[in-house]
Amino acid sequence: MDIQKRIDQLMEQMTLEEKASLCSGLDFWHTKPIERLGIPSVMMTDGPHGMRKEDNSDTSLGMKRSVPATCFPPAVTCASTWNPDLIYQMGAAMADEARDQEVITILGPGTNIKRSPKGGRNFEYYSEDPYLAGHLAASFINGVQSKGIGTSLKHYAVNSQEYLRMSISEVVDERTFRELYLPAFEYAIKEAQPAQVMCSYNRINGVFSSDNHYLLTQILRDEWGFKGIVVSDWGATNDRVQGIRAGMDLEMPSSYGEGDKKIVKAVQEGVLKEEELDTVARRMLAYILRYAPEVTPDFNYDYTQSHRLARRIATEGAVLLKNEGNLLPLTKGENVAIIGALAQESRYQGSGSSLIVPKQLVHLPQVLAEANQPYEYAAGYTLEGDGFDQKLLDEAVALAKKHDKVVLFVGLTSNYESEGFDRENLDIPRGHTQLIKAVREVCPHVAIVLVGGAPVTTDWAADADAVINMYLAGECAGEAYYDLLFGDVCPSGKLAETYPIAATDFVGDPYFHGGPRTVEHREGLFVGYRYYDTAKKEVRFPFGHGLSYTKFEYSDLEVSAARIYDDETLEVRCTVRNVGERDGAEIVQLYVRDNESTPFRPDKELKGFQKVFLAAGESKQVRFTLDKRSFAYYKVA
Ligand code: BGC
């Protein structure tokens, strides 16, 4: 039967209490069933870079162990691939894993704008740029939903910090809100229609997201045409009755009937119109009926496909920041010193609600052994505290002395970044910086592998010939390191965020965190490269930066028209040639600048990108279409 007809029938049969019961969860992960009417309970689970379905056999309190699943690289690594097709494939593979685990909605992707490099959840978000973040989120959603599994686009909106995230009011002016913090959500909604949108914990200009009619109804549904349900972040519900009015459909997790009782009482007392509840109940029915049939208990998925894909994403997301004298790639078979505890036991994902149990975790030593690659190893630091350990450092220096080349692994260990807190500075642990200095003094060639989920200060990069930023590489970390260090894969990632020189360089830094009640976005639009470029402030590694083992040349730049009006579009073309000796890929980025603007605007803004794969010597023409929106700013009046 047509879903709409079935919904009409069910609505006629449902009591007030039953309608209200659909508006909150059964437990942590399920919706409530209404058995007498054949309405099933459906399951959703984290998270953005792999399935975190809790294992019911784990009876411990707090966050439970989860069923093993492919641990893909998190959003920050995905973003630096700048490859929407690959992110689509990741979504499709995760949908197969979801179906295998009888889950109908994946709680992701997260597409908040990284206001400050200090934000604790930056590893879970794509970029400081809304165009890039929105288009990648849309690809992920389309990939998952192409297989009939739902997604939950989160955290709507302005979850810019972890500090006091459950109460802080993010004070943002209307233009900044519309130009910077909303478009990533807008693109994803318009291009991909996720099954759910998850509202954020924070308030925006005083109003909790979960109570926010302007956000959840006027903008999301009326302006953008969102058709799915809005779910609260876990525990983000403030006023359940106002939430119904605002358009917040599903309270998660369960409030053990408390929220439902408030809704019923409000209708009985005439505070809430029954039609308002009906609208929400209808949306919940549409969601459940559309996605429930996708549970097919006999479905079996071959996880090795996902593992191969995760390896490709990890290699494409790595960013070669520096490569003097072409130190990288290394020659296979040549004995090298590998130093740093992160080489032995790498960090491959972030911490918090997205933490998953990987299906097949591979560290570097296993890969080196399988490839018969000779190497000698020293830990150099510990993975605890600030990592400093004089004895380990001395051993590492002794090893480095014997070698002409050292590969040094450093970065953010798990105590340095996580959901739940922001970083106070952008430093890597002291034990790592001391080690870099000491090794540099005794070894002529140093390549650094940087691990971590967010920008760090890199004064130490001056002491290295090469730096490759692997971010968090997922369960294939060891394989991805090998592929890139030994040249099986040519690096092709570019930064989706700026690496500043100092932690305090960002103009909004003094206002970040704020508290106790509000945090003010006084920098307005001037976040990330929008700030550094406009203020002409030097950075260490800019947004969009990334080197390769080959070289590319651009030519024949053409623009089809000098102006466009209304619905017209404009084409930009250029030719890119791989002039090096290896096959590789280049990310062509198109920025727009307003040369004649009256209102203030950022120096430039990303409005197109394409990743082009080119064999050595090959060239291709790249075409972009710009429309009116590509040139628009938001005029508040
Ligand atoms: C996080 C969400 C997550 C949810 C369920 C919340 O604390 O903010 O991103 O999906 O928990 O685990």
Side-chain angles (χ1 to χ4, degrees):
M1 188 196 298
D2 170 57
I3 288 192
Q4 215 42 58
K5 273 204 192 120
R6 174 112 170 87
I7 294 174
D8 292 342
Q9 274 181 359
L10 287 168
M11 288 298 291
E12 271 171 32
Q13 297 170 61
M14 276 160 68
T15 63
L16 173 62
E17 287 74 12
E18 282 170 336
K19 289 177 195 167
S21 76
L22 289 179
C23 305
S24 68
L26 175 68
D27 52 25
F28 232 77
W29 307 111
H30 293 85
T31 60
K32 288 205 214 73
I34 303 180
E35 271 150 24
R36 77 173 185 97
L37 297 174
I39 300 170
S41 159
V42 294
M43 182 172 201
M44 58 202 85
T45 198
D46 284 308
H49 69 271
M51 301 301 297
R52 187 172 70 85
K53 181 180 174 182
E54 286 184 347
D55 186 345
N56 287 335
S57 65
D58 180 359
T59 50
S60 52
L61 295 171
M63 213 168 109
K64 295 190 194 317
R65 182 181 61 234
S66 59
V67 177
T70 305
C71 178
F72 287 94
V76 64
T77 321
C78 293
S80 48
T81 68
W82 296 60
N83 187 342
D85 294 340
L86 201 54
I87 305 311
Y88 179 99
Q89 288 174 43
M90 169 175 161
M94 275 183 58
D96 282 333
E97 296 196 16
R99 183 174 309 214
D100 193 50
Q101 300 192 4
E102 295 177 37
V103 168
I104 69 146
T105 297
I106 296 169
L107 300 176
T111 200
N112 293 78
I113 294 303
K114 303 184 198 194
R115 179 189 178 200
S116 160
K118 293 178 180 170
R121 281 189 105 163
N122 281 9
F123 69 89
E124 268 188 84
Y125 296 142
Y126 291 112
S127 181
E128 65 190 29
D129 180 83
Y131 185 89
L132 181 59
H135 290 291
L136 292 178
S139 299
F140 179 83
I141 296 165
N142 279 328
V144 175
Q145 298 197 166
S146 70
K147 300 247 174 171
I149 300 293
T151 54
S152 189
L153 178 66
K154 63 194 190 181
H155 306 88
Y156 183 62
V158 210
N159 166 225
S160 299
Q161 64 182 47
E162 291 300 277
Y163 179 62
L164 297 177
R165 69 172 175 174
M166 298 220 168
S167 58
I168 199 92
S169 177
E170 302 266 355
V171 179
V172 198
D173 71 88
E174 178 77 6
R175 180 174 169 200
T176 301
F177 192 44
R178 294 289 195 152
E179 271 183 49
L180 191 64
Y181 291 100
L182 288 186
F185 290 95
E186 180 185 355
Y187 295 134
I189 302 278
K190 288 181 175 168
E191 286 173 27
Q193 276 293 348
Q196 302 185 353
V197 165
M198 187 189 292
C199 73
S200 59
Y201 285 120
N202 51 280
R203 304 171 198 239
I204 298 166
N205 296 330
V207 184
F208 275 109
S209 297
S210 60
D211 291 346
N212 207 316
H213 186 268
Y214 177 55
L215 193 69
L216 304 185
T217 296
Q218 283 171 252
I219 296 177
L220 186 64
R221 300 183 199 277
D222 299 347
E223 286 185 35
W224 301 344
F226 174 60
K227 302 273 185 287
I229 59 163
V230 173
V231 61
S232 69
D233 196 347
W234 268 228
T237 304
N238 177 51
D239 174 338
R240 191 62 196 105
V241 174
Q242 171 54 24
I244 295 285
R245 277 190 213 108
M248 206 283 279
D249 304 296
L250 177 63
E251 173 187 18
M252 285 303 279
S254 167
S255 57
Y256 302 101
E258 283 312 307
D260 308 357
K261 273 191 224 151
K262 286 180 190 158
I263 297 170
V264 170
K265 188 163 176 265
V267 173
Q268 284 167 341
E269 290 174 355
V271 178
L272 182 72
K273 292 196 203 110
E274 188 154 359
E275 300 85 76
E276 292 177 294
L277 174 60
D278 285 354
T279 306
V280 171
R282 279 179 174 278
R283 286 199 291 251
M284 283 305 302
L285 286 174
Y287 166 70
I288 294 168
L289 296 180
R290 162 138 187 229
Y291 290 98
E294 297 302 334
V295 175
T296 39
D298 50 354
F299 180 80
N300 271 316
Y301 179 62
D302 171 12
Y303 284 72
T304 56
Q305 296 175 45
S306 288
H307 186 80
R308 277 198 297 277
L309 181 61
R311 182 171 183 169
R312 188 165 158 216
I313 297 169
T315 55
E316 272 202 38
V319 184
L320 182 63
L321 295 173
K322 175 176 177 179
N323 197 16
E324 277 170 14
N326 293 332
L327 177 59
L328 293 178
L330 304 167
T331 314
K332 283 186 187 169
E334 187 187 353
N335 193 350
V336 286
I338 294 189
I339 295 177
L342 282 170
Q344 179 100 333
E345 199 186 313
S346 200
R347 232 185 112 225
Y348 56 94
Q349 65 173 329
S351 303
S353 60
S354 68
L355 187 82
I356 62 168
V357 175
K359 190 89 178 170
Q360 194 200 337
L361 178 59
V362 186
H363 286 304
L364 185 60
Q366 183 188 335
V367 191
L368 294 172
E370 280 163 11
N372 288 323
Q373 170 60 44
Y375 73 99
E376 286 181 272
Y377 168 77
Y381 53 80
T382 70
L383 292 172
E384 280 90 49
D386 70 1
F388 184 76
D389 183 309
Q390 192 65 50
K391 188 170 157 281
L392 294 179
L393 188 136
D394 293 343
E395 283 168 12
V397 171
L399 175 66
K401 262 190 196 149
K402 299 196 299 180
H403 286 265
D404 177 52
K405 283 179 193 164
V406 168
V407 182
L408 196 50
F409 282 72
V410 300
L412 297 172
T413 45
S414 54
N415 49 334
Y416 276 66
E417 64 176 337
S418 170
E419 174 182 347
F421 64 88
D422 303 307
R423 284 184 300 156
E424 274 165 25
N425 56 53
L426 303 185
D427 299 341
I428 59 170
R430 179 176 72 104
H432 301 208
T433 47
Q434 303 267 25
L435 180 66
I436 298 171
K437 242 198 208 116
V439 166
R440 169 85 278 180
E441 279 168 17
V442 299
C443 183
H445 301 111
V446 179
I448 291 187
V449 177
L450 177 62
V451 174
V456 293
T457 44
T458 55
D459 298 340
W460 44 262
D463 281 329
D465 304 278
V467 181
I468 186 158
N469 183 3
M470 294 295 309
Y471 276 115
L472 297 169
E475 68 174 36
C476 307
E479 289 158 311
Y481 300 160
Y482 179 82
D483 291 345
L484 290 155
L485 288 173
F486 291 92
D488 283 348
V489 175
C490 185
S492 66
K494 293 200 190 273
L495 294 176
E497 57 193 358
T498 308
Y499 277 56
I501 294 174
T504 50
D505 281 354
F506 166 49
V507 67
D509 190 67
Y511 321 113
F512 182 67
H513 268 167
R517 294 202 173 83
T518 59
V519 55
E520 293 159 14
H521 289 241
R522 294 196 202 181
E523 73 283 0
L525 291 169
F526 297 102
V527 165
Y529 72 88
R530 283 170 170 71
Y531 166 62
Y532 296 108
D533 288 353
T534 311
K536 302 204 178 357
K537 197 171 174 82
E538 215 187 314
V539 300
R540 186 73 71 198
F541 299 110
F543 176 87
H545 170 73
L547 305 173
S548 169
Y549 294 157
T550 185
K551 280 209 152 40
F552 300 95
E553 258 177 31
Y554 288 60
S555 64
D556 307 319
L557 177 65
E558 292 170 341
V559 181
S560 67
R563 274 170 203 283
I564 53 167
Y565 297 96
D566 301 323
D567 294 335
E568 292 171 4
T569 58
L570 181 120
E571 202 179 77
V572 180
R573 298 177 281 265
C574 74
T575 301
V576 189
R577 180 182 294 277
N578 180 348
V579 293
E581 264 136 45
R582 285 169 179 269
D583 300 350
E586 171 67 331
I587 297 156
V588 185
Q589 302 159 42
L590 178 64
Y591 295 87
V592 160
R593 168 183 296 135
D594 189 339
N595 287 327
E596 297 171 8
S597 83
T598 328
F600 65 90
R601 302 197 60 174
D603 177 67
K604 66 177 192 288
E605 294 179 83
L606 183 75
K607 295 296 168 189
F609 64 90
Q610 273 179 49
K611 189 162 196 173
V612 231
F613 292 83
L614 295 167
E618 193 187 357
S619 70
K620 271 186 196 156
Q621 192 186 52
V622 181
R623 290 160 179 262
F624 299 93
T625 303
L626 296 177
D627 60 12
K628 189 173 166 185
R629 181 69 187 264
S630 314
F631 301 99
Y633 71 96
Y634 188 83
K635 189 168 178 179
V636 177

